[in-house]
Amino acid sequence: KRCFSLILPRYTLDLQCENEKMRKNWVEGLQALKIILANKVDVMSLPISDELKKLFSSIAVDEESLLSVLDKPTEFIKHGRTGRPHTRVVTVDRKKVTIDWTSGSNDLKEAYGVVRGKTTKVLRKVSWRQADPALCFSVLWEDRTLDLQAPTQRIREDWARAIEILLKKESEAYRQHRSKDVSASNLSIEASASFQNLNTDLDS
């Protein structure tokens, strides 16, 4: 009754709390966070405790501030299907909803997702020495990917998150893809009795 598990894409994180109430609060909080992130909903409408509602409602996200990172041209290393990677200055036109990487451009209204790390076919072929997964992210279209390597983890995360926000606002393809993924989200929360046996193992 004190255990729960986070089911992640590549592994499961099994956790034991000090007591059942703590476990309940953690599970409720993570489930609420999952819903908030996957669907733009009013936190007050969720079936969670007043304490959690107060906590989440006090966390304000300034999306315009996050989007402003896209207004500054930034250098990335672009990896392609063929040839060597090249340094490219990447810019985003938020009014036209396009992304430009000097040697090409594409319509972000048609993009359906952003993934972090080396998960695309292009980046999976790149060695760790050539590209640290923590610096990489990709913008996804049905017919291609834009695979970028940032100079720092902070820049990678700022750009990936900002593009996700822009797609959420402007891309119907992104919204449709997200709605299909809600049931198979990257974070599934399980508070199953099957993990109660961990109590004995961890206490022994």
Side-chain angles (χ1 to χ4, degrees):
K1 293 182 179 181
R2 294 182 292 157
C3 298
F4 70 97
S5 297
L6 301 183
I7 303 174
L8 303 169
R10 295 185 181 180
Y11 60 90
T12 299
L13 181 62
D14 301 318
L15 301 172
Q16 179 177 344
C17 299
E18 291 183 0
N19 52 60
E20 188 175 352
K21 182 179 180 181
M22 180 181 291
R23 189 211 68 165
K24 181 180 178 182
N25 287 339
W26 268 88
V27 171
E28 282 189 356
L30 289 169
Q31 288 174 334
L33 182 60
K34 175 186 173 183
I35 294 170
I36 292 168
L37 294 175
N39 311 276
K40 195 173 181 180
V41 299
D42 179 8
V43 66
M44 302 306 289
S45 67
L46 297 175
I48 57 178
S49 67
D50 291 338
E51 184 179 353
L52 284 172
K53 287 181 180 180
K54 183 178 180 181
L55 174 62
F56 281 115
S57 63
S58 66
I59 303 174
V61 177
D62 185 353
E63 290 191 347
E64 184 58 33
S65 177
L66 295 174
L67 284 168
S68 66
V69 71
L70 301 177
D71 298 333
K72 181 181 178 181
T74 303
E75 279 194 354
F76 293 90
I77 296 175
K78 179 185 174 296
H79 295 268
R81 286 172 286 186
T82 60
R84 299 176 61 185
H86 297 280
T87 299
R88 295 284 185 253
V89 175
V90 179
T91 58
V92 170
D93 188 323
R94 287 203 276 155
K95 290 184 178 180
K96 295 181 179 179
V97 199
T98 58
I99 188 167
D100 184 285
W101 56 91
T102 310
S103 60
S105 63
N106 217 349
D107 187 353
L108 285 171
K109 288 182 181 178
E110 302 299 323
Y112 71 84
V114 177
V115 292
R116 295 158 176 79
K118 295 162 67 173
T119 61
T120 64
K121 185 177 180 180
V122 170
L123 286 175
R124 283 198 300 267
K125 296 187 296 183
V126 180
S127 69
W128 191 93
R129 288 186 177 183
Q130 287 180 293
D132 182 345
L135 301 177
C136 297
F137 72 101
S138 303
V139 185
L140 311 177
W141 289 266
E142 290 295 342
D143 59 346
R144 68 157 299 149
T145 61
L146 175 60
D147 301 287
L148 301 173
Q149 178 182 339
T152 67
Q153 290 185 38
R154 175 64 182 271
I155 291 175
R156 192 284 298 263
E157 186 55 34
D158 286 351
W159 269 74
R161 190 176 185 190
I163 292 175
E164 285 176 331
I165 293 171
L166 185 62
L167 296 186
K168 183 178 67 175
K169 292 175 176 288
E170 304 289 350
S171 170
E172 181 62 28
Y174 176 83
R175 291 191 289 269
Q176 289 179 358
H177 192 266
R178 288 290 293 171
S179 66
K180 292 177 182 178
D181 274 357
V182 168
S183 60
S185 176
N186 282 350
L187 178 61
S188 297
I189 300 164
E190 182 179 284
S192 171
S194 63
F195 289 103
Q196 291 181 13
N197 293 332
L198 288 173
N199 292 342
T200 302
D201 296 336
L202 292 173
D203 289 340
S204 60

